[in-house]
Amino acid sequence: MSALKVIQVPAAFNTAGLNIVWILVGLIAIYAGIKNLLDEENPSRIGTAIFWCSFGIVTALGTWLPAKVSGVLVIIMCLPPIFKKVKVGKTNAPEKVHTEAQFKKIGMKIFVPAFCVAVFSLAFSLFSNMSSMIAITLGVLVAIIFLVAYDSKENKPQVFLKDSERFLSLTG
């Protein structure tokens, strides 16, 4: 199977790349925490903010934080869910009319970005020694490029940040 690994990246690339990926994930989680803290419609905004900000700090900086600090943050992160103080706030999901209009404009090409993520993940896992997290992140970046190419007026960076936070909050 190692004969298939035609793309070889140095171990340092995987280490640095994973650090970047986890920093990005952590920053999105911290953004979710801050957004929820400022969301007056969220009945558990403080607990939700503590949860997401603690998670984001550990995720983004866990490599460099002392183990005791990470441990304390994980304990702090676990308290709001235990007391049922993590709730989804205002989500700003697109309305059905907007979604249908976008589908009429783009059509079935809307599946190309999602397909990119899957193809990058599979291709790099089969044909390289690159970390799958880095491969998925590269697939997401290519997907973003496709979405911007489909509609550069609609798909701005803040759209991706808000949708990432919305998805994270809904799944969290």
Side-chain angles (χ1 to χ4, degrees), residues 25 28-29 32 36 48 51-52 55 81 86-89 91 162-172:
V25 170
I28 292 169
N36 276 286
T48 305
F51 172 79
W52 285 118
F55 176 77
V86 178
K87 299 206 176 3
V88 178
T91 58
K162 287 177 182 177
D163 282 350
S164 297
E165 181 278 325
R166 183 171 55 90
F167 180 73
L168 187 64
S169 290
L170 290 172
T171 58

Side-chain angles (χ1 to χ4, degrees), residues 129-146:
N129 65 336
M130 184 184 298
S131 163
S132 60
M133 283 294 289
I134 297 171
I136 290 170
T137 303
L138 291 174
V140 167
L141 292 174
V142 171
I144 288 171
I145 291 168
F146 272 105

Side-chain angles (χ1 to χ4, degrees), residues 92-101:
N92 294 331
E95 294 181 15
K96 187 174 182 176
V97 175
H98 174 75
T99 305
E100 289 172 355

Side-chain angles (χ1 to χ4, degrees), residues 3-8 121-130:
L4 288 176
K5 307 284 184 182
V6 293
I7 302 170
Q8 296 293 318
S121 177
L122 184 62
F124 280 108
S125 69
L126 290 176
F127 302 115
S128 83
N129 65 336
M130 184 184 298

Side-chain angles (χ1 to χ4, degrees), residues 93-123:
E95 294 181 15
K96 187 174 182 176
V97 175
H98 174 75
T99 305
E100 289 172 355
Q102 287 297 97
F103 180 76
K104 285 179 183 173
K105 190 187 313 183
I106 298 171
M108 295 304 284
K109 291 187 287 186
I110 193 63
F111 292 106
V112 171
F115 191 66
C116 281
V117 176
V119 167
F120 269 68
S121 177
L122 184 62

Side-chain angles (χ1 to χ4, degrees), residues 30-48:
I30 291 169
Y31 171 75
I34 293 169
K35 183 183 171 289
N36 276 286
L37 181 63
L38 300 175
D39 180 8
E40 294 182 11
E41 291 182 26
N42 187 340
S44 296
R45 62 191 188 127
I46 293 172
T48 305

